[in-house]
Amino acid sequence: MSTKNRLKKVLPCSFYHLESIAEKLKSFFSEKIEDVSSENAKILDIIDKFKSSYDELIQQEKEVLEAVSTAQHSLNSLQKWQQKTEDNIYTIRQNIENIKQCIAEIKECTGTNKDDTIPKFMDFSLRMEQSITKYQLYNMEILWAQVFNNTISNSTWLLNKSFSPGRWAASYLYLYVLYRTLNEAHPKSILELGIGQTTRMITQYVSANQDIRYIAVENDPLWINFVKNSLSFPQNTEIVQLDLEMSSYNGTDNIRTYKNFSEKFSSEKFDLISIDAPLASDMQVYGRIDILKILPGCLSKDFIIMIDDCERVGELHTVAEIERCLNNNQIAYKKGYYRGMNNCVLICAEHLKFLTSL
């Protein structure tokens, strides 16, 4: 039965125009059906987009898990290789000690020094020990490289992950400690002595955090131009060129330093000071003492000092002088020592002590 006939049984035809009412109802429901169909199409479109995004997310998660699994497998392999190497080195050391003992006993029994076999062997033994030590350091650098690359793999601000560590540049160890310091301590004011691979990292950190003030010091204008042409420096960065001069400190002469360093920075305060310059490999007593001229006034309450190449006596003496200054001024601090091809010392405010055991 049609809608009109149904309405005739209920309503008087003289009062209602059933045809008109039926048409209006038909038009009304048609519009509603169209509206519902349109909304349904929109919902289906949203569902399709969501499903596409979800599928993409699942794929990305799968790729990340595969990458993590591969990296973990590589790390495990390296650790097993390192352990095997350490075991072999230990065996070699034991054999050398046994041979030394045998020679000592033979020498004692014969009571003669005429045979030059003993000094030759002792020289060979010394060279063997040096080779083993160097081999161990290379082994450690390989592990630091693996740790560094794993650490930065998902970094949100270190977008350019291409680095060339080693030789005159910073080591993987130093880059790792620097990255963790930037990523977890979030320093707001940074002073860097010596530009290079560390600059490649710090500039990206500064680019991602516009409230950072970053000053880099370098003596060589040609090197400054080269680095400027290969890197993109954020606006809140200042490159300061300072010539070198030979200075005296604590009774020691001819220490290479930056000219007018204290005049330039004595009124500044920094959260992070990274020291990898000037050249100090030929310094016999003190190396890279520039910071000693501005301590402790240059330190903020959240201070961090990083010093590279602390396997050398010059840098170690400078570290000792930094500690002496902090102690004399009753400034609480913690010190961490990181060992690799090039050793690194990190000195920080006591409440940042977690940085000493990264």
Side-chain angles (χ1 to χ4, degrees):
M1 182 183 294
S2 68
T3 301
K4 182 173 71 175
N5 291 332
R6 288 192 181 96
L7 288 174
K8 282 181 178 180
K9 290 185 177 182
V10 179
L11 300 174
C13 293
S14 61
F15 186 80
Y16 292 96
H17 302 285
L18 297 182
E19 289 288 346
S20 176
I21 291 174
E23 288 301 322
K24 288 180 180 180
L25 286 173
K26 182 178 179 182
S27 176
F28 173 79
F29 285 114
S30 296
E31 290 177 359
K32 291 299 180 183
I33 290 171
E34 289 179 2
D35 291 343
V36 170
S37 298
S38 176
E39 291 299 323
N40 187 53
K42 291 179 181 179
I43 291 171
L44 290 175
D45 183 57
I46 292 172
I47 291 173
D48 288 340
K49 290 180 180 178
F50 175 80
K51 185 177 182 303
S52 177
S53 299
Y54 178 77
D55 292 342
E56 184 179 349
L57 182 63
I58 292 297
Q59 180 62 30
Q60 290 176 353
E61 181 183 18
K62 182 180 178 181
E63 292 174 358
V64 169
L65 290 174
E66 289 177 352
V68 169
S69 176
T70 301
Q72 187 62 46
H73 177 73
S74 299
L75 180 59
N76 291 339
S77 298
L78 279 171
Q79 288 173 336
K80 289 179 181 178
W81 178 72
Q82 183 198 28
Q83 185 59 52
K84 185 176 180 181
T85 302
E86 293 290 342
D87 292 343
N88 290 336
I89 289 172
Y90 176 78
T91 302
I92 293 172
R93 287 187 187 278
Q94 289 296 108
N95 290 337
I96 290 174
E97 290 301 320
N98 291 337
I99 295 172
K100 283 182 181 178
Q101 184 63 32
C102 290
I103 289 176
E105 291 175 0
I106 293 170
K107 182 178 178 181
E108 184 178 355
C109 292
T110 58
T112 176
N113 293 321
K114 293 181 180 180
D115 190 356
D116 63 354
T117 301
I118 293 175
K120 284 182 179 179
F121 175 79
M122 298 304 290
D123 178 64
F124 167 77
S125 176
L126 177 61
R127 287 186 284 109
M128 180 68 73
E129 290 282 354
Q130 292 172 341
S131 297
I132 290 173
T133 299
K134 188 174 182 180
Y135 184 74
Q136 285 178 315
L137 293 176
Y138 277 120
N139 192 32
M140 291 177 68
E141 185 70 3
I142 291 171
L143 284 176
W144 279 118
Q146 184 72 22
V147 171
F148 172 69
N149 287 323
N150 284 348
T151 301
I152 67 172
S153 61
N154 292 322
S155 177
T156 57
W157 59 265
L158 192 66
L159 303 181
N160 183 355
K161 298 176 174 60
S162 175
F163 291 92
S164 300
R167 296 163 295 280
W168 278 27
S171 64
Y172 278 110
L173 181 156
Y174 198 82
L175 290 173
Y176 166 76
V177 177
L178 178 61
Y179 175 81
R180 293 288 303 276
T181 298
L182 294 171
N183 197 56
E184 297 174 35
H186 309 293
K188 299 295 185 182
S189 54
I190 302 171
L191 175 64
E192 179 183 34
L193 306 189
I195 61 177
Q197 294 301 305
T198 50
T199 311
R200 182 181 296 275
M201 178 182 292
I202 296 174
T203 51
Q204 294 186 68
Y205 170 78
V206 176
S207 294
N209 301 275
Q210 297 303 314
D211 58 341
I212 308 298
R213 184 169 182 241
Y214 168 42
I215 301 175
V217 180
E218 178 60 47
N219 66 284
D220 188 348
L222 294 177
W223 179 240
I224 291 174
N225 289 333
F226 176 83
V227 174
K228 280 185 174 181
N229 290 332
S230 60
L231 294 179
S232 177
F233 283 87
Q235 290 185 349
N236 44 341
T237 297
E238 181 182 359
I239 306 297
V240 177
Q241 191 274 321
L242 295 179
D243 293 331
L244 298 177
E245 64 179 3
M246 305 307 285
S247 303
S248 299
Y249 179 81
N250 204 18
T252 300
D253 298 325
N254 297 320
I255 305 171
R256 191 175 293 105
T257 60
Y258 288 112
K259 189 175 182 179
N260 298 324
F261 182 85
S262 58
E263 289 83 354
K264 178 68 177 177
F265 300 112
S266 59
S267 60
E268 302 273 3
K269 285 189 180 294
F270 300 99
D271 296 334
L272 171 61
I273 301 176
S274 173
I275 304 173
D276 194 19
L279 178 68
S281 57
D282 57 340
M283 298 290 100
Q284 300 301 313
V285 182
Y286 292 103
R288 298 170 175 171
I289 64 169
D290 299 272
I291 188 176
L292 300 178
K293 304 174 184 178
I294 59 175
L295 283 178
C298 65
L299 302 179
S300 73
K301 65 179 180 64
D302 301 319
F303 73 88
I304 304 160
I305 304 170
M306 289 180 57
I307 308 175
D308 200 9
D309 301 308
C310 284
E311 71 282 358
R312 301 191 303 218
V313 66
E315 280 79 355
L316 286 177
H317 283 166
T318 297
V319 168
E321 289 299 297
I322 293 172
E323 292 188 83
R324 184 177 65 82
C325 177
L326 295 176
N327 288 327
N328 288 345
N329 288 275
Q330 298 181 337
I331 299 174
Y333 70 93
K334 291 293 182 181
K335 180 177 74 171
Y337 192 86
Y338 294 91
R339 186 168 181 265
M341 284 294 294
N342 302 95
N343 298 338
C344 164
V345 167
L346 185 147
I347 300 172
C348 63
E350 191 171 34
H351 64 277
L352 295 173
K353 62 183 178 181
F354 71 93
L355 294 173
T356 64
S357 58
L358 298 174

